[in-house]
Amino acid sequence: MIAIVGGGITGLALGRELALRNREFVVLEAADEPGGVIRSERKDGLLLDWGPQRARLSDLFGGLTHDLGLGDQLLLAPPDLDFFICRDARLRRVPLSLGGFLASDAVSWRGRLRTLLEPFTAGPRDDESVAGFFTRKLGREVYEHVVGPLYGGLYGSDPKDMVVGLSLGRLLRAMGTRRSLLRPFLSRGGRLRPPPACSFADGMQTLPFALAGTLGDRIRLSTPVRAIEPGRGGWNVVLDSESLAAEHVVVTVPARAAATLLGQVAPEAASRIASLRYNPLAVVGLRSETSLRGLGFQMSLAESRPLRGVTFNHSLFGAGGTTPRGRGRADRTGLYAAYLGGSTHGRAVGSDDHSLGELAAAEFHRCTGFEAQPVAVARQSMPAWDRSWSALEGLRLPTGIHLAANWESRPGLAGRLAQARSLAADPDLHRAAGAIAPLVRSDASRRSQIPP
């Protein structure tokens, strides 16, 4: 039997993949709802998402949506929305084409021309900072005002604290980038064509609810795991009133919770995992009547503001987005999601909800010129993927214990779904736990396993 600890998107997707392979498993989730960080709720007539605001309709995501029967719930954003950078208290367009970028005022002409030298610069080095890499490749201005905010914003981190080999390297490999960033881009016609942005009519939590629904009694909610202990031929997963015997245990929970569970069976690994840094973030739902149209904006790194960025839910899925029936969603009309805090302004997250709401509204007005009213506030933490991730290099785990989480390998919804599918097909997960497992490779590092 395979015990999956955590009913977030990774644990749920893994459970579904195992069910398709007729494997015996159980998903154990401490909360009374599935989804982990993916959470949706209605407040004052607006539909708020507190985790990811949207997904990308990739082949994997689209196929899963179809298989779960969610096609009529899918909400697609307009295909022509641009992104913006807030620089000097003004929004500046960052189009997805080379021609559009060269005409943009996001950076000066000097900065745009400097970008054209990129193909003549050396390729990435695993030991250099992400900030140093982007500055060396694209110039300081493009780094500070465009690429740095876009990449660092994914994690709430300062790219100066991130290392190419620990974070950016996997993205570069996925893009097929060996030396030049621009050459692959130019080979595709000088335009980025990401899959369409999408959500669901009732919010992003629709997906984990649907996944959980396919698992039946193989998911147990309100069931916290208290410990993992060695057992005969495998492991005992200790719950409040019972223990479950499992040949394999897959830990999908956040790093600190994982470290606590592994403390007795893999103390060195637990200590390393516990050292990983998370960035505190506050998400503030704002209501505002604006003429803004786009995906949203990120703050230039030169701004050094507590606001990191804003998602334009209104133009994504309210006034502009459509369901397959061609209707926008009124419960996202006038809705914007503001993100504050991160590695550089984490103290702001410690303010009370009223203060955070007022701060978000003031920052929104400064960048856009539009007044806004706070609707609700939530707090979360994001894996920083900074230099502390060197702790995972050479990590050793007992045979039969597996890690699968957004801090252990590729983050983001696409990464979580891909890892679930890959792990479900991994022969090591179907091998008796008493055997010695070989070295295994993950996106984060090479990890060897030791017998329990």
Side-chain angles (χ1 to χ4, degrees):
M1 204 262 287
I2 299 170
I4 302 170
V5 183
I9 191 64
T10 307
L12 295 169
L14 176 58
R16 179 179 180 275
E17 294 289 343
L18 291 173
L20 293 174
R21 292 165 172 78
N22 296 315
R23 290 304 311 272
E24 184 184 2
F25 69 92
V26 63
V27 178
L28 305 167
E29 168 55 44
D32 59 2
E33 287 187 347
V37 299
I38 303 179
R39 186 165 59 89
S40 308
E41 70 168 318
R42 282 183 166 82
K43 180 85 170 178
D44 296 342
L46 292 175
L47 179 59
L48 304 168
D49 275 302
W50 296 124
Q53 301 293 313
R54 61 183 184 270
R56 287 287 181 180
L57 194 59
S58 63
D59 291 342
L60 182 57
F61 189 89
L64 177 61
T65 298
H66 176 271
D67 292 344
L68 293 174
L70 297 177
D72 61 346
Q73 293 288 310
L74 199 64
L75 196 61
L76 300 179
D80 58 345
L81 297 180
D82 286 324
F83 205 82
F84 296 87
I85 291 294
C86 182
R87 178 183 179 185
D88 302 325
R90 198 173 65 128
L91 296 187
R92 301 166 189 266
R93 192 182 306 272
V94 183
L96 298 181
S97 68
L98 181 60
F101 174 71
L102 292 176
S104 168
D105 66 346
V107 295
S108 68
W109 270 107
R110 184 185 298 273
R112 281 172 271 172
L113 289 174
R114 166 61 180 83
T115 304
L116 299 179
L117 298 176
E118 190 277 336
F120 304 100
T121 59
R125 301 192 306 269
D126 281 350
D127 60 346
E128 66 182 324
S129 73
V130 170
F133 169 75
F134 283 134
T135 300
R136 178 172 62 79
K137 298 290 284 182
L138 302 169
R140 176 163 296 280
E141 194 177 357
V142 171
Y143 160 69
E144 281 192 347
H145 302 309
V146 180
V147 181
L150 292 178
Y151 184 74
L154 296 174
Y155 312 94
S157 288
D158 186 339
K160 292 179 182 177
D161 298 326
M162 306 177 79
V163 180
V164 168
L166 299 175
S167 58
L168 182 61
R170 69 178 49 79
L171 177 61
L172 296 178
R173 289 191 294 271
M175 294 170 55
T177 300
R178 296 184 178 181
R179 174 174 173 177
S180 173
L181 298 171
L182 285 185
R183 286 188 188 278
F185 177 60
L186 293 173
S187 69
R188 293 189 288 267
R191 183 174 182 82
L192 293 175
R193 292 180 174 84
C198 64
S199 182
F200 298 97
D202 292 318
M204 290 298 296
Q205 200 172 6
T206 298
L207 180 61
F209 277 159
L211 282 168
T214 68
L215 303 183
D217 59 5
R218 289 173 293 189
I219 178 170
R220 295 174 59 175
L221 302 175
S222 302
T223 307
V225 174
R226 300 305 183 186
I228 300 171
E229 298 175 347
R232 179 175 297 179
W235 303 96
N236 289 328
V237 180
V238 182
L239 310 178
D240 281 334
S241 58
E242 62 178 311
S243 293
L244 300 179
E247 288 183 312
H248 295 269
V249 179
V250 184
V251 179
T252 74
V253 296
R256 289 180 183 174
T260 299
L261 290 176
L262 296 174
Q264 294 184 15
V265 297
E268 181 183 354
S271 177
R272 293 192 188 191
I273 293 169
S275 71
L276 301 180
R277 286 191 285 266
Y278 275 58
N279 290 324
L281 288 173
V283 188
V284 181
L286 298 173
R287 187 197 303 269
S288 181
E289 295 184 8
T290 81
S291 58
L292 298 170
R293 189 173 187 278
L295 296 168
F297 69 86
Q298 291 288 125
M299 297 297 298
S300 164
L301 296 182
E303 292 282 301
S304 189
R305 308 288 299 187
L307 179 68
R308 295 198 67 95
V310 174
T311 298
F312 295 174
N313 304 75
H314 171 81
S315 56
L316 278 163
F317 307 118
T322 59
T323 66
R325 299 186 182 93
R327 297 196 306 268
R329 293 291 298 188
D331 51 16
R332 289 178 174 91
T333 300
L335 176 63
Y336 298 83
Y339 289 81
L340 299 96
S343 63
T344 55
H345 290 84
R347 290 184 180 180
V349 179
S351 302
D352 60 80
D353 285 2
H354 176 77
S355 299
L356 276 171
E358 292 298 313
L359 177 60
E363 291 284 291
F364 184 84
H365 180 263
R366 176 181 179 274
C367 292
T368 68
F370 292 100
E371 301 287 345
Q373 296 76 45
V375 178
V377 177
R379 292 166 177 79
Q380 59 183 235
S381 56
M382 292 282 291
W385 281 93
D386 60 8
R387 296 179 187 275
S388 67
W389 258 248
S390 63
L392 296 187
E393 294 181 338
L395 192 74
R396 290 174 63 85
L397 295 172
T399 299
I401 300 290
H402 310 263
L403 299 177
N406 65 350
W407 54 267
E408 177 270 337
S409 57
R410 183 181 167 194
L413 278 172
R416 302 295 78 237
L417 298 179
Q419 189 189 23
R421 175 168 293 184
S422 176
L423 182 57
D426 190 337
D428 286 342
L429 193 63
H430 308 287
R431 200 173 277 140
I436 300 294
L439 281 171
V440 295
R441 184 192 301 272
S442 79
D443 288 337
S445 64
R446 283 180 177 265
R447 298 188 180 90
S448 61
Q449 298 187 321
I450 54 177

